[in-house]
Amino acid sequence: MDRNEINKSGMNGNGTGDRRKLLLVEDDGEIRQMLGSFLESEQYEVICAADGNEASERFLEGGYSLVLLDLRLPKRSGLEVLKEIRRISTVPVLILSAKDTDSDKTLGLSLGADDYVTKPFSVTEVLARIKANIRRNTEYARGGGNPDDTAPRKTADISGGAGSSGSKEVLRWGGLTVDEETYSVEKSGERVSLTVKEFEILRLFLKNPKKVYTKAGLYGQVWEEAFLADENAVQVHISRLRNKIEDDPRNPKCIVTVWGIGYRLGEEPGLEEERHIGGKS
């Protein structure tokens, strides 16, 4: 991360932030001071922690819109802090990862982190990811759209190939029910707790049941930014989602792999058997 870039960006801050509260966990004092100052110039309230124990203490103060979390921390690792956060909160967590810690980065995503940036990083990239993750989480928490919106919802016919639309729907696939208005997911009547990105991935497949998504295409739709040839984020989020919605994550039926291409929505249970019987008759 370049000091001159941070100073220049800080002076040019447009002050358009909503004064949201961020927890910045970073043991490097120089990075902590420079990134914290830049984010404050963008009208964020920044609470800093220099080690894992302090991070846990600060997080319990509450009110955070997002956590920026370094993984290599003294006293207590960032992965341990992440586990603790995920036990009590779904607040977005953005990993700050060194280039030589890909395994830790992947593990962090598998434990529930929402996104990551690789050191050395551009502060403009960090700011963009902060804004995007807070926006998605806010929409998710509020159930999306205008809370006073009383427009009727409709049930999407997944097997019939319902395309993407702007209307709010209750999407169904097998025993899964995805309510776009309340941003809730149920499996066989039981609530399933998904992160924002997991929800967006599942919704994307249910609204486009006949489409095959490459990793780059899926990344562009859900992360809303250019794919940078890093497949970890997509693969880990798909794996996490499968663990929550599939009867057997090792033999997925809902989100299936199209080898050499990407992923698609699987054949709905019961429909495949019905078509097979119909073909024999």
Side-chain angles (χ1 to χ4, degrees), residues 3 29 43 47 53 92 113 130 151 154 189 192-193 200-201 203 220 234 249 255:
R3 179 194 294 269
Q43 305 305 305
I47 307 299
N53 288 341
I130 288 173
K154 63 182 181 179
V192 179
S193 178
E200 295 295 346
I201 290 171
R203 176 167 66 171
V234 174
I255 298 178

Side-chain angles (χ1 to χ4, degrees), residues 21-25 55 59 64-70 81-82 85-86 89 91-96 114-115 130 134:
K21 185 177 177 183
L22 309 178
L23 176 59
L24 172 58
V25 186
F59 185 76
Y64 295 103
S65 295
L66 182 138
V67 177
L68 294 143
L69 180 63
D70 187 15
V81 174
L82 176 58
I85 289 175
R86 277 295 167 260
S89 174
V91 65
V93 176
L94 178 61
I95 289 176
L96 304 176
D114 296 88
D115 207 350
I130 288 173
I134 289 178

Side-chain angles (χ1 to χ4, degrees), residues 256-281:
V256 299
T257 300
V258 181
W259 296 107
I261 302 178
Y263 306 96
R264 66 170 175 83
L265 186 70
E267 198 74 64
E268 190 169 7
L271 184 61
E272 184 176 8
E273 180 181 353
E274 180 181 314
R275 288 178 176 171
H276 181 68
I277 294 174
K280 281 188 171 183
S281 60

Side-chain angles (χ1 to χ4, degrees), residues 3-158:
R3 179 194 294 269
N4 293 329
E5 180 187 3
I6 291 181
N7 291 336
K8 181 178 178 182
S9 300
M11 289 187 293
N12 291 335
N14 56 22
T16 58
D18 294 329
R19 200 61 185 171
R20 293 182 179 274
K21 185 177 177 183
L22 309 178
L23 176 59
L24 172 58
V25 186
E26 170 60 63
D27 67 323
D28 187 312
E30 185 176 13
I31 294 177
R32 190 171 63 247
Q33 190 277 327
M34 289 188 295
L35 182 56
S37 296
F38 167 73
L39 293 173
E40 287 178 344
S41 77
E42 292 291 326
Q43 305 305 305
Y44 290 96
E45 178 185 356
V46 182
I47 307 299
C48 293
D51 60 59
N53 288 341
E54 186 181 8
S56 296
E57 293 173 4
R58 293 287 176 267
F59 185 76
L60 291 178
E61 295 171 1
Y64 295 103
S65 295
L66 182 138
V67 177
L68 294 143
L69 180 63
D70 187 15
L71 295 180
R72 299 298 178 93
L73 296 171
K75 297 185 179 179
R76 193 178 187 190
S77 75
L79 293 174
E80 290 182 80
V81 174
L82 176 58
K83 287 181 182 179
E84 183 174 352
I85 289 175
R86 277 295 167 260
R87 280 198 294 267
I88 60 177
S89 174
T90 58
V91 65
V93 176
L94 178 61
I95 289 176
L96 304 176
S97 171
K99 282 187 175 179
D100 60 350
T101 59
D102 280 347
S103 60
D104 283 348
K105 183 169 61 180
T106 301
L107 181 56
L109 289 171
S110 69
L111 290 175
D114 296 88
D115 207 350
Y116 64 85
V117 289
T118 302
K119 298 175 182 178
F121 48 72
S122 160
V123 292
T124 55
E125 177 189 2
V126 174
L127 180 61
R129 289 177 183 269
I130 288 173
K131 289 180 176 179
N133 279 282
I134 289 178
R135 173 178 55 78
R136 294 189 192 103
N137 193 62
T138 300
E139 292 173 354
Y140 185 63
R142 292 178 179 174
N146 186 339
D148 296 326
D149 184 5
T150 57
R153 292 170 288 155
K154 63 182 181 179
T155 300
D157 180 7
I158 300 302

